[in-house]
């Protein structure tokens, strides 16, 4: 059903985004102050021979143009190089840790969506509850994940021992990290959702529905909610970034496996190949999610046709 | 598209989102608590090793975990004496350039390979091979020229120059002997598959989560000083990575782990007074956390200014306030736990603000600016002290601010600035700073040579960051590294330590200690001379 030309154009745009990210990371690393090889070898007083050897292996002793060509050539063959710190192919390092982060992000997203829908449906156009809930949402959205996580751990893990403090396999171990990560999203989701629902509730078709004898719950769920969901689809692209950024903190607080920890470790250790790989993977994920969002738009709101989308 | 169809799509999307979340999280499955440990000790550590090959990784955490996986040729006891381990005896040639080790019989690596001369040779060759990219170990045996298997149980190690600390070097976890079969088979992947002959066998590594070590059932060659011979008491060691100090401490206090590393000094008081827990503490040998001073540029090229700085910081109070007694202030560039430490340095440079003021006046820093800092010819007395946040464990950033505040009272403006690694290293290597500070864990006074020998500058892989060139120190430290007479070495190191203090080439601050928290049900966790925890004698009691 999707117009092919439209889809091809979107795909091309997504590829451009990834290509741009690749360029950005390539040049950003070369603009950083100091010698990247020394930074990578860190505080350990490397011998001059080792410094030169590593420089040569990473081809950092070649002219910039040659480095760039090599980088792009490797990129097109899907070769992300080898992690300097872990002495393991970058693809393997990332692939290994992808699943726990996908689990965490999916669970947090589902949780946030569920909570936001519930809150919005219950509080739209109900001023008294709305004020209280909306304040709470603001608090949740502005509390740092680190703090939320520590609080949850202190009570539910250290004191009452309902949940494991670290790692945690399966659903039980996922609860606290997912709740922590979702807490930051719920506020934003439900504020937007409620706003849209309230606008919908003022539309004439709601009056028509009421006149037809539909109950309040039915109106909210069947008519108003559907209107509210459209901007939420837009937010999904943003949420992807928030979830991934949040994972860095949440995975560290809850000692979970995942890409957040890989990123944090690679940045701290100046593991150039891994950082590059992570930037590319997140750019790719971003581009794909946004592509999916655009497709979803057309499904959720059939009024949008190819001419009105850029 | 009809409204009905439309609605179904949304409903289906929502349902599949929930279903996906369930698949992703395994709804309804998953084990609950942390019981049923089957005699395994759960040990929470703060950092994950980058690599478990002790000859590649420079980090303490690799050596500390590796100590339980690998054995070394010789062992150092708490008094700094070298005793047998995988080698039962050894001879050193008269010129100090050839070491011949006789190896223990019956030792097998975890993969079944027998320990022989070729295995020792393989580990040493692996250390110095360029493709290994050793970040620390190779530098320690830069004088190694090769090894020969005289017979299956005798290996001869040749050096390009005499090096007295060689046995200490070979006693460390950094020189744990690896299975030659594994080294060959796992070439390029030794980081992920460490195979040694130690009390624990590497059994798996879930990255960013845990490392599993199982008991080595055949272990029968522990060095002297252990509580028992034979296999470890515990069935295994589960090493959990919990980077956040508060999470790690909470996991210990709630019984989810048995032992936790890197207890923050501020938490030690709570642990001492808590029922059911103990604080295990081991002083670290080597160089304390030390401020290296740039003697090669103004204003610290003037010994009077250096001494004024030395005399104007109340280190006793500062270290006590910050570390609640968990660490002691330092008096020397060697920690008290190091062989060769000169106790005579204690109290030799007390806090003396009047002396500091006099020295600064004498050096011509007589003016004062509007902020109260001393000036000379209109220039403020300013010291630049860059640091890298990733190296600031133990609240060292706060400590630096404390020193900064103390210096301010003496009229010295210490600029204590956080830099990102690239910028920091550029300044450090370019000697574009007045102060740089770090500590170094090594059970050997030869660490002083790395800090103060004129040949050990940063660009050559040493720690002499500011290129201190003191002929007397060079002579003493080089002679001490070549002579094997313990009495002579003690004299030389004592002289060197007091000279560093007299010339104020560095300002030692505090002596770090390893702080480990343990539940009472765990008994027998001990420490090696580098203050790394050992689990061979550890057991869980009911």
């Amino acid at each position: 059903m999707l117009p092919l030309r439209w889809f091809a154009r979107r795909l091309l745009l997504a590829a451009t985004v990834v290509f741009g990210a690749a360029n950005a990371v390539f040049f950003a690393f070369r603009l950083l102050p100091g010698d990247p090889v020394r930074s990578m070898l860190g505080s350990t007083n490397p011998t001059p021979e080792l410094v030169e050897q590593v420089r040569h292996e990473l081809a950092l002793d070649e002219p910039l143009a040659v480095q760039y060509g090599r980088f792009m050539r490797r990129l097109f063959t899907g070769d992300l190089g080898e992690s300097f710190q872990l002495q393991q192919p970058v693809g393997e390092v990332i692939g290994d840790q992808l699943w726990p982060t996908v689990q965490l992000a999916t669970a947090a997203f589902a949780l946030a969506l569920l909570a936001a829908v519930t809150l919005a449906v219950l509080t739209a156009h109900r001023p008294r509850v709305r004020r209280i809930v909306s304040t709470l949402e603001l608090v949740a959205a502005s509390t740092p994940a680190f703090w939320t996580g520590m609080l949850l751990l202190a009570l539910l893990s250290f004191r009452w021992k309902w949940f494991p403090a670290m790692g945690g396999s399966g659903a039980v171990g996922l609860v606290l990290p997912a709740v922590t990560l979702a807490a930051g999203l719920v506020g934003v989701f439900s504020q937007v959702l409620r706003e849209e629902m309230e606008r919908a509730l003022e539309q004439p078709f709601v009056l028509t529905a009421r006149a037809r004898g539909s109950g309040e719950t039915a109106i909210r769920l069947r008519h108003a909610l559907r209107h509210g969901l459209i901007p939420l689809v837009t937010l999904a692209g943003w949420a992807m970034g928030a979830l991934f950024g949040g994972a860095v903190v949440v995975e560290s607080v809850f000692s979970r496996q995942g890409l957040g920890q890989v990123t944090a470790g690679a940045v701290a250790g100046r593991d150039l190949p891994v950082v590059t790989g992570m930037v590319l993977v997140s750019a790719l994920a971003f581009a794909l999610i946004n592509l999916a969002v655009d497709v979803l738009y057309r499904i959720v709101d059939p009024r949008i046709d190819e001419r009105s989308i850029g | 598209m009809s409204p009905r169809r439309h609605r179904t799509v949304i409903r289906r999307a929502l349902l599949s989102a929930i279903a996906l979340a369930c698949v992703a999280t395994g709804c309804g499955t998953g084990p609950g608590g942390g019981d049923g440990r089957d005699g395994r000790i759960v040990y929470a550590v703060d950092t994950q090793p980058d690599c478990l090959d002790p000859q590649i990784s420079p980090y303490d955490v690799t050596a500390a975990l590796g100590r339980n996986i690998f054995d070394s040729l010789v062992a150092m006891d708490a008094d700094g004496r070298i005793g047998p381990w995988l080698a039962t005896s050894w001879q050193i040639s008269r010129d100090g350039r050839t070491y011949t080790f006789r190896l223990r019989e019956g030792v097998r690596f975890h993969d079944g390979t027998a320990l022989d001369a070729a295995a020792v040779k393989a580990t040493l060759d692996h250390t110095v091979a360029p493709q290994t990219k050793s970040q620390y170990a190779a530098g320690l045996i830069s004088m190694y020229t090769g090894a020969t298997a005289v017979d299956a149980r005798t290996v001869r190690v040749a050096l390009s120059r005499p090096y007295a600390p060689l046995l200490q070097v070979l006693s460390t976890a950094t020189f744990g002997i690896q299975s030659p079969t594994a080294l060959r088979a796992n070439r390029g992947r030794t980081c992920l598959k460490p195979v040694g002959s130690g009390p624990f066998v590497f059994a798996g590594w879930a990255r960013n989560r845990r490392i599993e070590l199982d008991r080595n059932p055949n272990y029968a060659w522990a060095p002297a000083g252990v509580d028992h011979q034979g296999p470890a008491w515990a069935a295994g060691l589960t090493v959990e990575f919990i980077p956040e100090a508060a999470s790690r401490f909470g996991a210990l206090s709630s019984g989810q782990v048995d032992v936790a590393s890197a207890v923050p000094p501020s938490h030690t008081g709570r642990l001492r007074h808590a029922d059911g827990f103990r604080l295990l503490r081991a002083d670290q040998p080597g160089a304390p956390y030390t401020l290296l001073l740039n003697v090669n540029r103004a204003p610290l090229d003037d010994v009077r200014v250096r001494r004024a700085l030395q005399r104007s910081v109340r280190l006793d109070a500062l270290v006590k306030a910050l570390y609640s007694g968990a660490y002691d202030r330092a008096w020397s560039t060697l920690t008290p736990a190091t062989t060769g430490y000169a106790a005579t340095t204690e109290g030799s440079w007390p806090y003396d603000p009047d002396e500091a003021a006099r020295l600064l006046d004498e050096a011509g820093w007589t003016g004062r600016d509007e902020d109260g800092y001393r000036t000379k010819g209109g220039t403020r007395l300013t010291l630049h002290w860059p640091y890298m946040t990733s190296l600031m464990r133990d609240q060292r950033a706060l400590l630096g601010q404390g020193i900064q505040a103390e210096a301010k009272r003496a009229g010295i403006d210490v600029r204590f600035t956080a830099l990102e690694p690239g910028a920091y290293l550029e300044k450090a290597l370019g000697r574009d700073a007045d102060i740089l500070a770090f500590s170094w864990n090594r059970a050997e006074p030869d660490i002083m040579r790395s800090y103060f020998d004129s040949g050990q500058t940063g660009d050559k892989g040493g720690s002499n960051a500011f290129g201190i060139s003191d002929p007397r120190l060079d002579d003493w430290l080089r002679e001490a590294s070549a002579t094997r007479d313990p009495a002579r070495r003690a004299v030389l190191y004592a002289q060197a330590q007091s000279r560093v203090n007299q010339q104020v080439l560095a300002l030692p601050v505090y002596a770090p200690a390893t702080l480990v928290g343990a539940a009472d049900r765990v008994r027998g966790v001990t420490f090696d001379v580098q203050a790394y925890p050992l689990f061979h004698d550890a057991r869980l009691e009911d």
Side-chain angles (χ1 to χ4, degrees):
Chain A
M1 266 221 349
L2 285 168
L4 218 65
R5 257 191 40 217
W6 171 83
F7 191 71
R9 217 161 76 205
R10 290 268 105 181
L11 216 55
L12 200 68
L13 255 159
T16 316
V17 167
V18 177
F19 180 72
N23 278 292
V25 72
F26 178 85
F27 288 107
F29 255 113
R30 276 134 189 106
L31 287 174
L32 279 179
D35 176 352
V37 178
R38 286 266 175 190
S39 304
M40 229 186 284
L41 290 169
S43 55
T44 53
N45 300 336
T47 58
E49 297 81 41
L50 180 60
V51 172
E52 286 322 307
Q53 190 194 338
V54 173
R55 193 188 309 287
H56 182 70
E57 276 174 25
L58 292 170
L60 289 170
D61 52 354
E62 310 241 25
L64 195 66
V66 178
Q67 289 183 39
Y68 184 77
R70 185 185 305 234
F71 175 75
M72 285 300 162
R73 201 163 45 243
R74 285 228 318 247
L75 205 63
F76 276 106
T77 56
D79 178 9
L80 293 172
E82 182 164 279
S83 155
F84 178 76
Q85 260 186 329
L86 315 169
Q87 309 217 337
Q88 209 180 346
V90 173
E92 211 172 282
V93 171
I94 293 178
D96 207 35
Q97 302 283 311
L98 186 65
W99 189 227
T101 300
V102 170
Q103 283 186 328
L104 176 64
T106 316
F109 187 79
L111 212 61
L113 197 65
L114 204 70
V117 166
T118 315
L119 286 174
V121 167
L122 291 178
T123 61
H125 267 329
R126 285 172 180 154
R128 251 175 304 165
V129 246
R130 183 192 201 282
R131 202 169 305 138
I132 300 168
V133 170
S134 153
T135 311
L136 288 178
E137 284 165 3
L138 200 66
V139 171
S142 39
T143 309
F146 181 82
W147 178 246
T148 316
M150 274 298 160
L151 216 64
L152 288 174
L153 269 181
L155 283 177
L156 302 180
S157 176
F158 303 157
R159 182 162 302 199
W160 293 322
K161 303 181 188 175
W162 293 348
F163 297 99
M166 68 273 178
S169 49
V172 179
L174 193 62
V175 174
L176 294 187
V179 169
T180 306
L181 196 51
L185 293 182
V186 172
V188 182
F189 279 6
S190 59
Q191 300 258 348
V192 170
L193 198 56
R194 185 167 43 229
E195 194 84 10
E196 269 313 293
M197 278 185 65
E198 287 178 346
R199 200 172 303 158
L201 285 173
E202 285 157 11
Q203 299 283 324
F205 69 80
V206 171
L207 199 66
T208 318
R210 285 218 170 92
R212 238 181 14 225
S214 293
E216 181 65 20
T217 321
I219 287 171
R220 279 172 186 254
L221 284 179
R222 209 163 292 160
H223 300 286
L225 180 60
R226 223 170 75 197
H227 275 258
L229 281 177
I230 297 170
L232 221 53
V233 172
T234 321
L235 273 181
W238 162 84
M240 146 90 198
L243 285 169
F244 191 78
V248 176
V249 175
V250 170
E251 285 173 7
S252 155
V253 169
F254 291 96
S255 320
R256 267 185 70 84
Q257 289 181 289
L259 292 181
Q261 293 237 45
V262 171
T263 313
V267 169
R270 293 286 154 145
D271 199 336
L272 207 136
V274 176
V275 174
T276 308
M278 280 310 305
V279 169
L280 291 177
V281 166
S282 22
L284 189 69
F286 245 115
L288 289 181
I289 295 258
N290 279 303
L291 189 67
V293 164
D294 283 348
V295 173
L296 216 64
Y297 259 142
R298 306 170 63 91
I299 298 171
V300 173
D301 192 344
R303 288 169 302 180
I304 298 172
D305 68 12
E306 64 198 285
R307 277 172 303 278
S308 62
I309 281 191
Chain B
M1 198 187 261
S2 73
R4 165 72 51 193
R5 169 101 188 277
H6 188 176
R7 190 178 309 141
T8 324
V9 169
I10 292 179
R11 191 175 301 150
R12 208 177 289 154
L14 269 176
L15 276 176
S16 45
I18 293 165
L20 188 65
C22 264
V23 171
T25 61
C27 282
T29 61
D35 284 316
R37 289 187 178 129
D38 303 327
R40 298 181 71 86
I41 293 175
V42 183
Y43 172 39
V45 299
D46 58 334
T47 10
Q48 173 175 235
D50 53 338
C51 161
L52 282 174
D53 183 330
Q55 279 101 48
I56 293 180
S57 169
Y59 296 107
D60 280 340
V61 58
T62 301
L65 290 180
R67 190 68 293 178
N68 295 288
I69 304 172
F70 294 102
D71 296 326
S72 296
L73 272 182
V74 290
M76 184 184 257
D77 69 13
D79 299 321
R81 280 187 303 259
I82 300 289
W85 197 349
L86 294 184
T88 47
S89 65
W90 53 92
Q91 279 161 353
I92 306 168
S93 68
R94 194 174 290 268
D95 66 359
R97 290 173 49 191
T98 311
Y99 286 65
T100 310
F101 295 93
R102 188 85 182 133
L103 301 177
R104 183 192 276 266
E105 246 175 317
V107 173
R108 286 198 175 273
F109 291 100
H110 300 151
D111 59 0
T113 310
L115 170 80
D116 59 7
V120 176
K121 178 178 164 54
T123 294
L124 292 175
D125 288 347
H126 165 69
T127 307
V128 296
Q131 63 268 28
T132 303
K133 284 179 273 181
S134 166
Q135 293 179 54
Y136 180 51
L140 289 174
I141 55 161
S142 56
M143 69 299 296
Y144 169 78
T145 52
T148 17
V150 179
D151 59 50
R153 281 184 54 216
T154 313
V155 61
R156 186 177 295 145
V157 174
L159 307 182
S160 59
R161 60 181 163 84
Y163 185 59
L166 183 75
L167 289 175
Q168 180 275 328
V169 165
L170 294 178
S171 78
T172 60
T174 304
F175 282 87
I177 304 296
Q178 306 205 44
S179 157
T181 320
L183 277 181
R184 222 177 6 253
N186 303 335
R187 186 165 294 145
R189 325 259 311 159
T190 49
C191 278
L192 305 169
K193 291 175 183 164
V195 181
S197 59
F200 290 94
V201 182
F202 173 79
W205 183 354
R207 185 85 70 178
N208 293 323
R209 176 120 175 246
R210 65 165 69 104
I211 284 176
E212 296 279 7
L213 303 179
D214 292 342
R215 169 168 56 199
N216 175 2
N218 306 316
Y219 196 63
W221 41 85
V226 296
D227 228 34
H228 80 288
Q229 268 303 345
W233 297 128
L237 196 59
T238 300
V239 183
E240 299 270 359
F241 307 120
I242 309 188
E244 290 300 332
S247 304
R248 201 164 56 250
F249 195 78
L252 175 70
S253 62
S254 60
Q256 299 180 56
V257 305
D258 304 308
V259 182
S261 80
V263 175
S266 54
H267 285 44
T268 53
R270 262 202 272 167
L271 207 56
R272 280 202 192 97
H273 299 118
D275 269 345
F277 298 96
R278 279 168 306 139
L279 177 72
L280 310 175
R281 185 179 179 287
D283 289 308
Q284 291 176 6
Y289 183 62
T290 301
L291 273 53
L292 282 182
L293 306 181
N294 192 347
V295 299
N296 286 321
R297 82 171 195 190
L300 290 180
D301 56 346
D302 186 336
V303 67
R304 290 168 298 191
V305 180
R306 301 203 295 272
R307 196 166 292 139
L309 176 70
Q310 182 194 45
R311 295 306 171 90
S312 56
V313 183
R314 287 170 294 183
L315 277 184
D316 285 298
L318 202 57
V319 171
K320 189 169 286 173
L322 206 54
Y323 298 130
S324 341
Y327 302 149
D328 295 323
R329 69 148 303 170
W331 287 103
S332 160
T333 37
L334 290 179
T335 71
T338 322
T339 344
Y341 169 70
T344 49
T345 53
E346 286 167 26
S348 64
W349 43 281
Y351 171 66
D352 191 343
D354 299 333
E355 173 73 358
R358 197 186 62 73
L359 285 165
L360 289 176
D361 284 341
E362 205 182 290
W365 294 96
T366 46
R368 291 275 182 173
D369 65 12
E370 64 275 17
D371 295 324
Y373 292 112
R374 286 181 177 261
T375 58
K376 179 157 92 176
T379 320
R380 179 187 279 190
L381 179 46
T382 307
L383 302 179
H384 292 277
W385 177 3
Y387 68 95
M388 197 154 55
T389 31
S390 55
L391 290 184
M392 301 309 265
R393 58 170 182 273
D394 290 346
Q395 295 180 288
R396 284 175 182 178
L398 271 182
L399 185 62
Q401 286 165 23
I403 292 171
Q404 187 179 38
E406 292 288 288
K408 183 176 181 182
R409 292 169 8 120
I412 305 171
D413 183 10
V414 174
R415 299 271 174 84
F416 186 56
T417 349
L419 292 181
E420 61 95 38
Y424 171 85
L425 289 165
E426 203 164 53
K427 282 209 180 290
L429 286 168
R431 297 182 189 169
D432 181 17
D434 300 301
I435 302 173
L436 291 172
F438 40 88
S439 63
W440 206 283
N441 179 343
R442 190 178 164 201
E444 167 57 57
D446 190 46
I447 186 69
M448 277 192 80
R449 204 165 49 86
S450 171
Y451 276 62
F452 301 109
D453 184 313
S454 58
Q456 296 285 322
T457 46
D459 54 335
K460 296 195 180 107
S463 300
N464 186 355
F466 293 124
I468 292 166
S469 178
D470 181 310
R472 267 193 265 184
L473 274 179
D474 280 356
D475 286 349
W476 294 338
L477 294 172
R478 287 172 194 176
E479 188 191 336
S481 100
T483 183
R484 291 200 310 281
D485 174 8
R488 179 71 188 142
R489 293 188 89 205
V491 170
L492 291 166
Y493 283 122
Q495 283 175 340
Q497 287 167 75
S498 76
R499 177 148 183 95
V500 168
N501 283 347
Q502 269 163 19
Q503 295 297 310
V504 204
L505 302 175
L507 195 64
V509 180
Y510 75 91
T514 301
L515 301 172
V516 171
D520 274 345
R521 62 182 173 278
V522 186
R523 293 286 166 183
V525 176
T526 54
F527 293 94
D528 87 332
V529 284
Q530 279 185 284
Y532 297 143
L534 299 172
F535 290 89
H536 176 242
D537 286 329
R539 64 167 106 204
L540 280 173
E541 288 174 355
D542 299 313

